[in-house]
Amino acid sequence: MSISYFAECTVLVTGASAGIGREFARQLAPVVNTMILVARRNDRLEALELELKIINPRLEIFCRQLDLRDHAELERFCDWLDESGLSVDLLVNNAGLGDRGAFVDSDWERLHAMLQVNIAALTYLTYRILPSMRKSGCGAILNVSSAASLVPIPNFAVYAATKAYVTSFSEALRAELRNSNISVTALCPGHVPTEFGDVASRVPHGYVPPMAELFTVSVQEVVRRALQAVSRDQARVIPGTLVNLAMTSIVFIPMFLKRLVLNAQAARDKASLSAPTPRDYEISGMV
Ligand SMILES: NC(=O)c1ccc[n+]([C@@H]2O[C@H](COP(=O)([O-])OP(=O)(O)OC[C@H]3O[C@@H](n4cnc5c(N)ncnc54)[C@H](OP(=O)(O)O)[C@@H]3O)[C@@H](O)[C@H]2O)c1
């Protein structure tokens, strides 16, 4: 893939303050014209802006501090975008978060944040930006989903379900837009070493998935493969040969067999997740 496919584009990246989103900004910076970077941690966005300006001094950058859980804030951001006259060519719906642990013990605030950011904000941004892509006659939407979207995951139930929504929405929207010049791609990574694991964990020491060393793909490779998929108008991309093989095969396993594995996994996880949660610390007065 030649990164020059994105030359002169205007790109909007959500969740650009860390991990995969920040890497999208870094890889696109040398060639694009304009970048709109969105996240809550503005200091991180400003540091990234300085870094990107060194890579490409002609790059126009707009950093927007935005909490995607807040619909009113998101609406104001979209209004600003409309008024700015900027026409987004590539929308990277990347911001997202997880929550690992038993659903019965979960904290509603965290679940609600996941539903808002992973589903509602992604859908609303697409809804607001698509008309201007249609008007300009072309565009690309890259929705960051997850390998978790392809199979239900006990103790990651809501996260996996939010990502199943993202993959399903992306495929359906892609079909709706087939006769236009607008592509939709779902990125479905497995484990990527970012801050995601720490944010998703309810215990202080974070979470590393089983056999992580086998299935981990670097953030650089994930983004490189994702941009390649957009440039080739691919519907879905699962970076990493092993992850791709595993997730593509899983689709062919009958659901009753998957249930046996899910039950065993849930039982195994029960022990490892019985470590105290932040709520337990609160109740016992430790924090
Ligand atoms: N890492 C993995 O193993 C993995 C695997 C599969 C899929 N994914 C998906 O990849 C995407 C990026 O994750 P990552 O691995 O890069 O995680 P990360 O390092 O934790 O980055 C998450 C990004 O989302 C932003 N974000 C979270 N809540 C937000 C909110 N309320 N408003 C605005 N921005 C918000 C964060 O910015 P602020 O905190 O500054 O707001 C941050 O920039 C997510 O959609 C995730 O589900 C990750």
Side-chain angles (χ1 to χ4, degrees):
M1 184 255 330
S2 163
I3 194 78
S4 60
Y5 178 84
F6 300 97
E8 313 296 315
C9 279
T10 295
V11 181
L12 166 56
V13 183
T14 66
S17 62
I20 297 173
R22 183 167 55 194
E23 184 61 24
F24 271 114
R26 283 177 176 154
Q27 290 196 22
L28 288 165
V31 293
V32 303
N33 249 357
T34 307
M35 239 182 226
I36 306 147
L37 306 174
V38 167
R40 288 167 301 178
R41 287 170 289 181
N42 207 36
D43 53 332
R44 293 263 198 117
L45 294 181
E46 283 170 359
L48 181 61
E49 178 177 11
L50 291 178
E51 184 191 323
L52 301 182
K53 282 278 189 194
I54 295 169
I55 301 174
N56 178 358
R58 287 182 314 151
L59 180 63
E60 190 178 25
I61 303 175
F62 298 90
C63 296
R64 283 289 177 274
Q65 182 171 26
L66 174 59
D67 187 342
L68 291 167
R69 292 171 301 183
D70 185 333
H71 183 72
E73 254 189 59
L74 178 57
E75 238 180 326
R76 281 196 294 278
F77 167 76
C78 291
D79 291 344
W80 165 81
L81 200 56
D82 285 345
E83 286 155 19
S84 70
L86 293 167
S87 175
V88 175
D89 303 301
L90 171 64
L91 166 62
V92 184
N93 269 318
N94 162 77
L97 67 154
D99 177 52
R100 192 177 149 76
F103 177 74
V104 70
D105 297 324
S106 51
D107 177 281
W108 176 247
E109 289 282 303
R110 270 166 76 86
L111 296 186
H112 190 239
M114 250 192 309
L115 295 168
Q116 286 301 118
V117 178
N118 298 8
I119 295 181
L122 173 143
T123 311
Y124 187 72
L125 259 179
T126 308
Y127 174 77
R128 287 293 299 265
I129 287 171
L130 198 49
S132 76
M133 283 186 181
R134 223 166 42 168
K135 208 167 148 197
S136 71
C138 63
I141 299 167
L142 176 61
N143 289 331
V144 182
S145 185
S146 168
S149 69
L150 306 172
V151 63
I153 305 185
N155 299 310
F156 228 176
V158 177
Y159 175 72
T162 65
K163 293 300 181 177
Y165 171 93
V166 175
T167 300
S168 169
F169 171 63
S170 306
E171 291 277 0
L173 184 61
R174 178 182 172 84
E176 284 185 29
L177 296 170
R178 253 326 50 192
N179 292 328
S180 71
N181 234 345
I182 304 168
S183 70
V184 183
T185 301
L187 168 63
C188 301
H191 179 247
V192 190
T194 63
E195 294 166 18
F196 177 84
D198 286 339
V199 175
S201 178
R202 296 180 193 172
V203 290
H205 45 75
Y207 167 74
V208 179
M211 296 192 288
E213 61 288 348
L214 265 183
F215 291 101
T216 296
V217 180
S218 73
V219 69
Q220 292 83 2
E221 178 61 9
V222 166
V223 169
R224 197 188 62 75
R225 283 288 295 115
L227 293 175
Q228 184 182 62
V230 173
S231 72
R232 292 177 179 171
D233 189 14
Q234 275 176 239
R236 194 182 290 189
V237 54
I238 307 173
T241 314
L242 268 184
V243 190
N244 194 346
L245 199 68
M247 297 322 295
T248 317
S249 324
I250 267 178
V251 176
F252 297 104
I253 299 173
M255 195 59 213
F256 78 93
L257 282 180
K258 277 186 207 154
R259 281 192 199 107
L260 293 177
V261 177
L262 295 179
N263 292 346
Q265 188 191 330
R268 196 194 57 215
D269 280 0
K270 207 169 177 191
S272 67
L273 288 166
S274 55
T277 66
R279 254 165 67 187
D280 295 331
Y281 286 120
E282 250 168 60
I283 291 161
S284 66
M286 286 167 77
V287 290

